[in-house]
Amino acid sequence: MTPPQRRRRHPSQETAEPPPKPAPGKAGETKAPERLYVVAGPDGERADIDLVTLIVARADPPPSATPEQAAMLRLCTAPISVAELSAYLSLPFSVVTVLLTELLTAELVQARAPIVRQALPDRSLLEAVMHGLQRL
């Protein structure tokens, strides 16, 4: 038994009308995303924030906070890096720094420098400790 064969449609057989577009203002219609300069506000001074700077929320989001700032404050209940905030919110680093600067000036968040591992101790110190332990 052979499987049924598909028939190809020819362009002359198709209707020339494009599918109808939905009328504007219908319920359930999604609106276009806002431009990033609308989300970030006016570009003023920015805090000295790096991608690995840790951000911690100091308070709950106030009623006057924008939706992005409120989401940022909810994410910052535990220390989180600026790079992670940018990824979770799907916003570019520059927009996140503008929003964080506003939150820092309002003292709603605290920025912490990342914990850097200390440099290895001097080799002579390690050798002195090793020789001291061998003498015991």
Side-chain angles (χ1 to χ4, degrees), residues 40-106:
D43 192 18
E45 292 185 27
R46 294 185 188 176
D48 188 23
I49 298 173
D50 196 6
L51 281 171
V52 293
T53 303
L54 297 176
I55 306 296
V56 181
R58 298 173 110 186
D60 291 333
S64 62
T66 64
E68 291 81 13
Q69 290 174 339
M72 196 174 292
L73 286 170
R74 284 191 297 273
L75 285 171
C76 293
T77 54
I80 187 170
S81 71
V82 178
E84 289 174 310
L85 276 174
S86 177
Y88 287 143
L89 296 174
S90 299
L91 293 173
F93 173 72
S94 58
V95 173
V96 172
T97 56
V98 171
L99 293 172
L100 282 174
T101 302
E102 293 173 5
L103 292 175
L104 283 167
T105 56

